[in-house]
Amino acid sequence: MEPGYALRCTIGVAIPLVAATLLGDPALGVAGAIGAFITGFTSLQGVYRTRLTAMLFAALGMAATSFIGSLAGHSSPAIVAATVLAGYACGTIGQLGPAASTVALNSFVAFVLFSSRPLGPEQALIQSACVLGGGLVQAVLLLIAWPAARRGVERAALADVYRNLASYARGIAENPETAPPITPLATARQVLADPQPFARSGEIARVNRLLEDAEVIRKRLGALAAGAPRGLPRTLAESLDAIARVLMGSDEAVPAFAFAPDDDAHRFAAADLASHVRDAAEAATMLARGRVPNVHLLSKPRPGPYVQTHIDWLSRDALRFALVAGIAMILGRHFAAERGYWIALTAALVLKPDFQTTFVRGVGRIGGTLVGAVVAGFAVALVRGHPALQVAGVLTTAAAAYLTFNPNYALFTIAITSFVVMILSMQGVAGTTTIEQRVLDTLAGGALAMIGFLALPSWERKRTRPLLGDLLDAQRRLADAILAAYANPSPSARKTIAAARTAIWKVRTAVETSIDRTRHEPTSHHTIGAARALRILAATQRFALANLVLETALETQRLPAPPAALTAFAAALDDEMAELARALRASRAPRCGPRLREERARLEAELDARDPEQRLVLDAVGGYAEAIARLRRLLGARSSTA
């Protein structure tokens, strides 16, 4: 639970309701309260400027859609046509990323809610202005909360990075072939890319210094894990954990860390690792002046790993959402105009682009909506005619919705359903429908969403194989960039390596999400299974560790002049990985040739294994070959010489 965030957003909902109550007409504040309530959930997206931008777009979007919904509500054909267009826009805009998806869905929800109360142009315009005002109230409260956060957002993100690095350091001895974590670093990167406008330049420099140290520590740990060093001291994990605690306000001292491995090939990486741990400890101590507040008025940042900028104008997700929303509105208006919004609202909340969220979490949504409809029905009957009690009930359900959004979606659905029923009952709209009607509408909307997904499915399992192919290609490009930099080091080569590494992070995040969703889908004999996909993903980690070994060597020591055979080996490695990626996408066995084995043997003949630096290159080359051999077996290669 995030009580500080819930308190801030509930205050935003209370302002228009309390102001209208003091004026003697609580119903005047309903539109503003709805705008503030929905905008509060939009403030979960982004960090600082990105969060504020999402809230402003949501407020403007809801103002526009509420105006259209109120005007179109007079006519069933008009509201159905508008619902289809709004549903298509929601599904299409949602392709731009998590923040855009949230803004689009919230705007669609506002459209459906306000379609239940048809108004004339002048009244609809006033109502839309109130919705916009409620959203702006939440935006102002967010601005006020920024200085009070005391850089807690940045420090919490960095602390999570160092905790994960400490956990990885502890597990190296047990599982040395696991690549270091990337998700916490990807999140911290986006948090620090959106700095607080009120932060001082020195503080921004320190948090960026901590992130740079964390990225270097991650690479050095990966290189040491690939070399399987003996005796990696426990003080490393203790130091990293202590840095995380210092960032969150602890006064403890970070224990010193020093490591001199027996293997000379990794001596420079170990020394560089120790220096960056010391530097991170110093930066954390300088940054952490005072404990981070226990009650965070800003919610924990949840930036999407990476933002998609491509829009498919005829995507199946958008067309399915538009079709289901239109049919739901037709069914609702068939029964009664005043309750017609409920089926469409339930369908919109249940229907998602993937099977897992639509069906697995959809059951919780439907169950929570049913319980919420019953609870709110009784609550409305008790508080009807008592304005103060109605306002108190609305604020209670709003606070419950904000508090339960993260811990339990079923409880959140109960709370948000109760809020919708109670807030609309203040205007005499649809809160008066019977509990039986509400239950039937909920079941109809949920069933329609699930039927719509099965009628026009978008199976995640069809994306997993191509995404794994993309991951192999991304790793191939990084290996090629590292080997090219080894042969011809230059500033531009370092930039190419950094860009290739970021591309791997993007694809790997998408692959992990895809496999997780595939595990919850019905099995199919024509697509790759989740278990096999996980084994392929695990095999790529050995390749990633070989990349980290060579990249670390480029940064920490003076490598010998590259032998002529290295260029030929790099070309053979590139061709082999490209063939594996093509075979994976085409669902066929790869065509394995002897070229990579021959070039590796030629390279080994030119390098001296007794020299530590040259032995490090040989270790990385062996890692590449081992990873490719595993991938060949997993993809069904029948080569006896692999």
Side-chain angles (χ1 to χ4, degrees), residues 499-522:
R501 188 191 317 116
T502 301
I504 289 179
W505 290 17
K506 293 180 180 181
V507 180
R508 185 178 177 85
T509 303
V511 170
E512 291 174 348
T513 303
S514 179
I515 294 175
D516 182 62
R517 290 177 174 176
T518 300
R519 293 172 57 203
H520 296 275
E521 291 183 351

Side-chain angles (χ1 to χ4, degrees), residues 1-2 402-409:
M1 290 188 179
E2 297 183 89
Y402 289 128
L403 281 172
T404 57
F405 180 77
N406 289 314
N408 190 290
Y409 203 86

Side-chain angles (χ1 to χ4, degrees), residues 162-184:
Y162 281 91
R163 275 193 297 269
N164 277 272
L165 290 173
S167 177
Y168 177 74
R170 291 190 184 93
I172 285 178
E174 298 177 2
N175 190 5
E177 293 193 357
T178 302
I182 62 171
T183 303

Side-chain angles (χ1 to χ4, degrees), residues 111-137:
F111 166 82
V112 174
L113 286 177
F114 287 102
S115 70
S116 62
R117 187 167 180 255
L119 297 174
E122 184 177 349
Q123 291 176 306
L125 186 61
I126 295 174
Q127 179 178 262
S128 297
C130 292
V131 172
L132 177 62
L136 295 179
V137 166

Side-chain angles (χ1 to χ4, degrees), residues 175-235:
N175 190 5
E177 293 193 357
T178 302
I182 62 171
T183 303
L185 267 172
T187 300
R189 267 190 182 185
Q190 294 185 70
V191 170
L192 270 59
D194 183 12
Q196 186 189 125
F198 302 135
R200 298 175 181 174
S201 58
E203 295 168 338
I204 295 175
R206 290 188 188 104
V207 296
N208 281 295
R209 173 180 164 189
L210 277 160
L211 179 63
E212 291 170 2
D213 283 328
E215 292 188 344
V216 172
I217 291 170
R218 175 189 176 275
K219 286 188 284 188
R220 304 298 178 264
L221 282 174
L224 291 173
R230 295 182 179 180
L232 187 65
R234 293 180 56 86
T235 52

